[in-house]
Amino acid sequence: MLLVVFATMAMMVASIAMSALDRVASYANHLDEERSRQTLVGAIQTFEHQLGATLIDYTAWDDAATNAYVNKDMAWMISNFGDMTFDSDLFDVAIVLDAEGRPMMAYSDGQPLDGAVKGYITPALMGLFDKVRSGQSGLMPQTLGFIRTQKGIGSAGVALIRPKSGEIGQPPENYVYLAFIRHLSSSTVERLSEAYVLPGLALVPPSTNATSVAISSPTGEAIASLAWTPRAPGDQGREQVEPLIKAALVIVAIYALLLIVIGNSEMRRVRADEANAVKLAQTDRLSGLLNRAGLNQLLEDEVRRGRDAREDVVLLYLDLDGFKEVNDAYGHATGDRLIRAVAAGLSVLVGENAGLARIGGDEFGIVLTGKDVQERAFVLADAIIAFFDEPVLLGERTVVVGCSIGICVSEGGQVEGGELTRRADMAMYSSKDGGRGRWTIYDPRMDEERESRNHMEVDLRQAIGLGEIDVVYQPVVDAKTFTLVSVEALARWNRKGHGPVSPDVFIPIAESSGLIDQLGLCVLSQALRQLSHWPELKLSVNVSPGQFRDPGFVDHVAATFDEARIAPGRIVLEMTETYFIQSPERARIAMERLRGLGLRIALDDFGAGFSSVGYLRQFGFDRMKIDRSLVQSLDRGHRSVEMLQATVALARSLGIPVTAEGVETEQQAVILRIAGCDQLQGYLFGRPQSPEEIDALMLRPMELRAKAAELAFAASRDGGLQS
Ligand code: C2E
Ligand code: MG
Ligand code: MG
C-alpha cells in the first residue's frame, strides 16, 4: 500500500520536474526562434537596402547622366554597368531601359543577355519600372522589391539615371532607367547564413513554417521563403540537464525507498510487538489457554463472522464441581496442577477447530462454530462430563472433580458475545442447581427464574425488616426414653401474596444477598426469647457459613445472649461443613470465640456433602447430626446400616454424641438407637411446630413415652435388639 503511494508520488514528482524542464526548453527554443526570425527579417531588409544604396550610387551620377543623355555612349554604359555584374557582391544583373521600358543594354554575370533578357524583364520588374516612371515612387525616382527571374529569386531595383543636381534637361520621353537585380544565389544565402549566424539558411518555396521568413513581391505575393535550421538551445540545454535531473530523481527515489523499507520493517516489528502484547494480555498464565479477555475477543469475532455467514456460534460454559474442596484440602499448588491437567484434557477433547479459554478460577469456556454446531456441542458436552467421571491423577495424588456445563447458542450470530456468556453462565448455574455433573441448554425461562429470585430477594428483605420471619420448633428426643430434650429452631416465611416459602429456597437467597446476617440474628433472638418459657429444654439454632464471614458475628451473638439472659450452655449452634472447608483457619478462630461464650457447636447434615470424620476431629465439634438422606438410606438395606453404624461408632470414639435427623419410621428409630445415636429428630416425633404446639406436647409427655415402650417391644420381638 505504502509502496503504491510512494510510486505514485515519485511518478508525480518526476513528471512535474520533467514537464518543468520541457517548458523551460520550449521557452528557450521559442525565444531563440523569435530572435532568429527578427535577425532574418533584418537581414532581408538590409539585403534590399544595400541594393537600393548601390542603385543610388550608380544612377544619381553626373557621368552616368552625361553618357546616357548627352553622349549616348553605349560602350560607357556596358563598361560601367554591364561589366560590373561580373563576380559582384552588389548586383549580378544590370539592365538599361529607355522611357518605354525597352532594354537598351542587359548584362548578367558580366555577359550580355541578348535574347535571354525576357527572362528578367518580368511583369514584376516592369511594375517597379512603371512606378518610377509615373512618379509614384515618392521623392526618389527609385523603387525596390523582390522578384522572380529565370535565375531565381532576387532583390530588384529600378531608378532614373540623373545628374546629382537632379536637373536632367531632357523631356521624359528621353529618360533612361537603370535596373539592378541581386539574386539570392546559394552562395549569397550561405554568406547571409554565416554573417547572421542562421545555420542551415536556405531558399525554399513559400512556407508558413515557424522557422522561415516569407519573401514577398511588391504586390504582396509570397514568392519564396528563407528557412533556417532552428538551433533549439532549449533542447540542447535540456539534453545537458536532463540526465542530471534524472540522476537526482533516482537518488531521491532510492533514498525514499530505503526510508520506506526501513520504516516498513520497523512498523512490522512494532506491529509484531503489539500483537505479542495483545496475545499475552489475552492468555491465561496458568493454563496457557485464552483468558476471559481472550474469550471475549474470540466471541466478538466469531459472532460477527457468524452473522455475516448466517452460522450459529455455540458457547459452552464449564465450572468444575468440587474444585474448591480440592484446593482447600490439598493447597493451591495442587489446585493449580489440577487446573493445568483439566486444561490439557479439555484441549484434547475440544480439538483444533474450537476456541478454549479459562475464564477464571475453575471456569472454562469453549467456542464452537461451523456446520452442525449444536449437535457437536452436545456430543462434546457428554464427552467432557464422561472425562470427569475418571479420577484425575496429580503426581502421587488422585482427586475427583466433576463438571457442570451451560450451553448457549447464538443462532446466526444474533446474540452478542457478552449476552451469550451471560446466558451460558446462567445455564451452567442451572446445571449446578440440578445436581451438578450435567449440561443444560440456556432457556429464556432461566431469566424469568432469575427475575423472580430478584423479586423474592426484595420481598425477603422487607419481610425481615418488618419482623415477618417466624420461627417454628422441631422436637428432639432422647433416644432411650423418647423424652423431649431439645428443640431445633427453624425459620419460616409466609410470603405476602405467595404463601409459605421453603427455607431451602429463601435461605440460599438470604445467603447470596447478604440478608442472612440479619435473618440469623432475628431467628436467634426470637428463639432465645421463646426458650425462657421452656426452662427444661435445650435449643438448636442453625448458622450459615455466610454469617461467619461477618466479622461482627460473634459480638452480635454475645449481645443477643446478654439481652435474653439465657445460659449459653443450653444452646447448640448447628453449622454445615461448607465454611470449615472454605476457610478452615477463620472457622477455627470463630468457633473458639463462640465456645468462649459457652456455646456448643454441632456439625449439621453430616453425610450430605463432602463429609469427613476428619473435620470432627480437627475442629472438635460438640455434636454431630446425621443427615436425613443417610437415615433414609437405611431402608435400602444392609450396607447402609453398616456404614451408618461405623460412622456413629467413629464419632462416639472421639467422644462426640450423635443426633439422627429425619427419622420417620419406627424401624429407623430402632436402628439408630442401637447404632448409638443418643438423640433423635424427625417427623416420627414431631414436625417443626409453633411454640404453642410445643407447649402442648410438653403437657402430654406420656405420648412420647408410650411410643418408646412400643418401640422397645418391637425391637425385642424383632430379634432381641439391646438398648
Ligand atoms: P436442617 O438444619 O437440617 O433442618 C432440618 C430440616 O429437615 C428441616 O427442614 C426439617 O423440617 C426437615 N425435617 C426434619 N425431620 C424430618 C423428617 O422426618 N422428614 C423430612 N422429610 N424432613 C424432616 P426445613 O425447616 O425445611 O429447613 C431446611 C433447612 O433450612 C435446614 O436444614 C437448615 O439448613 C435451613 N434453615 C432453616 N432455618 C434456618 C435458619 O434459621 N438459619 C439458617 N442458617 N438455616 C436455616
Ligand atoms: Mg439444622
Ligand atoms: Mg440438618
Side-chain angles (χ1 to χ4, degrees):
M1 177 64 196
L2 207 64
L3 219 64
V4 173
V5 172
F6 166 72
T8 321
M9 271 180 60
M11 261 147 73
M12 276 166 64
V13 168
S15 87
I16 288 172
M18 293 319 286
S19 90
L21 194 62
D22 275 350
R23 267 199 226 177
V24 169
S26 87
Y27 185 64
N29 288 347
H30 176 73
L31 263 185
D32 186 71
E33 234 165 71
E34 262 323 292
R35 231 170 264 148
S36 297
R37 172 188 310 285
Q38 280 162 17
T39 307
L40 184 55
V41 168
I44 292 168
Q45 279 171 5
T46 308
F47 184 78
E48 205 172 28
H49 291 162
Q50 272 176 358
L51 185 76
T54 309
L55 199 54
I56 290 172
D57 287 348
Y58 278 81
T59 52
W61 184 15
D62 295 343
D63 284 357
T66 309
N67 286 300
Y69 299 113
V70 184
N71 304 341
K72 299 197 193 286
D73 183 351
M74 217 40 177
W76 186 92
M77 279 197 248
I78 287 171
S79 77
N80 283 283
F81 302 142
D83 291 347
M84 295 312 276
T85 58
F86 178 72
D87 204 16
S88 161
D89 259 352
L90 300 173
F91 53 93
D92 51 280
V93 174
I95 301 170
V96 178
L97 297 160
D98 65 12
E100 293 305 313
R102 286 181 296 249
M104 296 161 64
M105 180 217 81
Y107 266 73
S108 170
D109 295 319
Q111 295 295 320
L113 277 172
D114 300 331
V117 73
K118 281 197 188 96
Y120 297 89
I121 302 179
T122 62
L125 187 74
M126 289 322 287
L128 292 176
F129 169 78
D130 285 340
K131 226 173 169 185
V132 179
R133 189 178 56 173
S134 59
Q136 287 169 25
S137 58
L139 289 174
M140 290 270 274
Q142 172 172 326
T143 50
L144 293 169
F146 280 94
I147 59 163
R148 182 187 290 281
T149 68
Q150 71 170 44
K151 201 171 167 189
I153 303 294
S155 170
V158 178
L160 176 68
I161 296 178
R162 59 206 185 264
K164 269 237 167 72
S165 61
E167 293 296 323
I168 299 173
Q170 294 280 333
E173 54 268 28
N174 291 345
Y175 283 5
V176 178
Y177 299 85
L178 178 62
F180 279 168
I181 302 175
R182 188 186 181 193
H183 280 95
L184 284 166
S185 66
S186 55
S187 62
T188 311
V189 171
E190 211 169 286
R191 250 179 289 130
L192 283 177
S193 169
E194 272 167 24
Y196 292 94
V197 201
L198 293 166
L201 191 68
L203 195 66
V204 298
S207 148
T208 52
N209 204 309
T211 54
S212 68
V213 170
I215 292 174
S216 305
S217 71
T219 55
E221 180 202 351
I223 49 174
S225 285
L226 272 172
W228 73 98
T229 312
R231 276 171 304 180
D235 290 355
Q236 285 169 24
R238 184 176 49 196
E239 266 164 40
Q240 300 273 313
V241 174
E242 205 175 271
L244 291 178
I245 288 186
K246 279 186 179 160
L249 282 174
V250 167
I251 288 169
V252 169
I254 289 173
Y255 181 69
L257 211 67
L258 268 176
L259 272 186
I260 285 179
V261 168
I262 293 170
N264 249 356
S265 84
E266 194 62 11
M267 206 134 83
R268 260 201 299 279
R269 199 181 59 75
V270 169
R271 279 212 194 111
D273 283 357
E274 211 174 77
N276 277 343
V278 168
K279 198 170 172 215
L280 210 66
Q282 295 186 343
T283 304
D284 172 53
R285 285 232 211 116
L286 179 59
S287 63
L289 304 177
L290 291 177
N291 60 14
R292 182 183 287 274
L295 178 75
N296 290 346
Q297 184 63 53
L298 177 69
L299 273 178
E300 196 181 302
D301 294 345
E302 291 299 341
V303 164
R304 191 183 320 114
R305 213 186 47 73
R307 205 167 31 230
D308 294 343
R310 291 168 195 274
E311 268 180 19
D312 297 349
V313 178
V314 176
L315 174 65
L316 285 84
Y317 202 114
L318 281 64
D319 187 290
L320 303 189
D321 303 326
F323 172 74
K324 205 156 185 40
E325 284 80 345
V326 172
N327 217 15
D328 288 333
Y330 304 124
H332 288 295
T334 306
D336 286 356
R337 288 173 79 181
L338 177 58
I339 290 294
R340 275 198 291 267
V342 169
L346 288 176
S347 298
V348 174
L349 285 174
V350 165
E352 294 280 290
N353 299 326
L356 173 61
R358 178 175 170 232
I359 302 171
D362 59 348
E363 295 176 355
F364 294 85
I366 299 169
V367 182
L368 294 181
T369 52
K371 272 226 161 76
D372 308 324
V373 69
Q374 299 202 25
E375 290 70 24
R376 273 170 38 225
F378 304 153
V379 171
L380 178 62
D382 280 335
I384 292 171
I385 288 178
F387 167 76
F388 282 103
D389 280 346
E390 300 295 320
V392 184
L393 206 71
L394 300 174
E396 310 259 285
R397 204 164 264 149
T398 310
V399 299
V400 182
V401 283
C403 180
S404 297
I405 304 176
I407 300 178
C408 185
V409 185
S410 174
E411 280 177 17
Q414 290 306 310
V415 182
E416 291 297 337
E419 177 63 10
L420 194 59
T421 310
R422 188 190 72 78
R423 292 182 181 181
D425 183 28
M426 200 176 314
M428 185 277 291
Y429 270 107
S430 172
S431 286
K432 289 258 184 216
D433 290 345
R436 307 172 153 203
R438 66 192 64 207
W439 56 266
T440 313
I441 306 180
Y442 167 79
D443 185 321
R445 270 174 298 189
M446 291 173 185
D447 279 323
E448 289 161 25
E449 274 164 34
R450 171 79 49 106
E451 184 89 328
S452 81
R453 215 180 132 99
N454 290 346
H455 285 311
M456 197 179 276
E457 189 186 313
V458 171
D459 287 358
L460 181 62
R461 188 180 299 274
Q462 200 176 23
I464 295 171
L466 295 173
E468 287 172 4
I469 301 297
D470 288 327
V471 182
V472 290
Y473 302 89
Q474 184 173 30
V476 179
V477 302
D478 180 279
K480 282 187 195 141
T481 61
F482 286 4
T483 44
L484 183 65
V485 289
S486 174
V487 287
E488 178 175 358
L490 294 161
R492 289 292 177 267
W493 177 30
N494 194 353
R495 187 181 175 197
K496 263 190 205 142
H498 291 81
V501 182
S502 162
D504 288 328
V505 174
F506 73 80
I507 294 292
I509 290 179
E511 281 173 340
S512 65
S513 60
L515 289 170
I516 194 70
D517 298 332
Q518 257 179 291
L519 185 129
L521 287 175
C522 152
V523 170
L524 182 66
S525 58
Q526 269 192 60
L528 289 183
R529 264 202 308 279
Q530 185 56 46
L531 196 63
S532 58
H533 298 291
W534 298 325
E536 64 277 26
L537 290 186
K538 292 190 170 159
L539 172 74
S540 293
V541 179
N542 293 287
V543 174
S544 279
Q547 289 173 268
F548 266 97
R549 289 193 197 106
D550 171 15
F553 172 62
V554 178
D555 297 333
H556 292 322
V557 172
T560 316
F561 271 98
D562 284 350
E563 205 179 302
R565 296 171 191 279
I566 296 283
R570 289 172 65 196
I571 311 296
V572 177
L573 296 183
E574 295 187 3
M575 299 173 191
T576 53
E577 67 204 355
T578 346
Y579 191 60
F580 298 94
I581 294 170
Q582 284 171 359
S583 319
E585 269 321 299
R586 286 217 226 150
R588 193 192 308 281
I589 293 166
M591 221 169 129
E592 270 163 22
R593 288 187 62 200
L594 288 169
R595 280 246 187 77
L597 296 178
L599 293 162
R600 276 175 295 159
I601 317 258
L603 178 62
D604 202 358
D605 298 345
F606 185 88
F610 201 57
S611 299
S612 120
V613 180
Y615 289 121
L616 290 174
R617 210 190 320 247
Q618 202 181 337
F619 294 97
F621 285 99
D622 300 298
R623 177 167 286 278
M624 175 173 106
K625 291 187 83 173
I626 292 179
D627 188 64
R628 188 168 75 225
S629 60
L630 224 62
V631 170
Q632 268 148 24
S633 75
L634 288 179
D635 302 347
R636 272 181 263 141
H638 242 43
R639 267 202 59 72
S640 324
V641 177
E642 277 167 17
M643 250 178 63
L644 186 122
Q645 279 172 336
T647 309
V648 178
L650 201 69
R652 288 182 57 134
S653 74
L654 294 169
I656 298 171
V658 179
T659 303
E661 288 186 293
V663 184
E664 290 182 356
T665 65
E666 291 180 357
Q667 199 194 1
Q668 288 166 352
V670 171
I671 296 171
L672 291 160
R673 191 172 69 182
I674 294 168
C677 298
D678 70 330
Q679 289 185 352
L680 304 176
Q681 179 184 354
Y683 292 171
L684 182 64
F685 307 104
R687 290 182 176 257
Q689 45 204 277
S690 66
E692 295 74 31
E693 284 169 309
I694 295 289
D695 283 339
L697 195 65
M698 282 196 294
L699 288 176
R700 339 172 229 115
M702 292 313 290
E703 227 170 87
L704 288 170
R705 290 223 187 95
K707 200 165 261 174
E710 224 172 84
L711 277 184
F713 172 73
S716 63
R717 186 194 54 199
D718 288 349
L721 293 165
Q722 298 293 303
S723 61

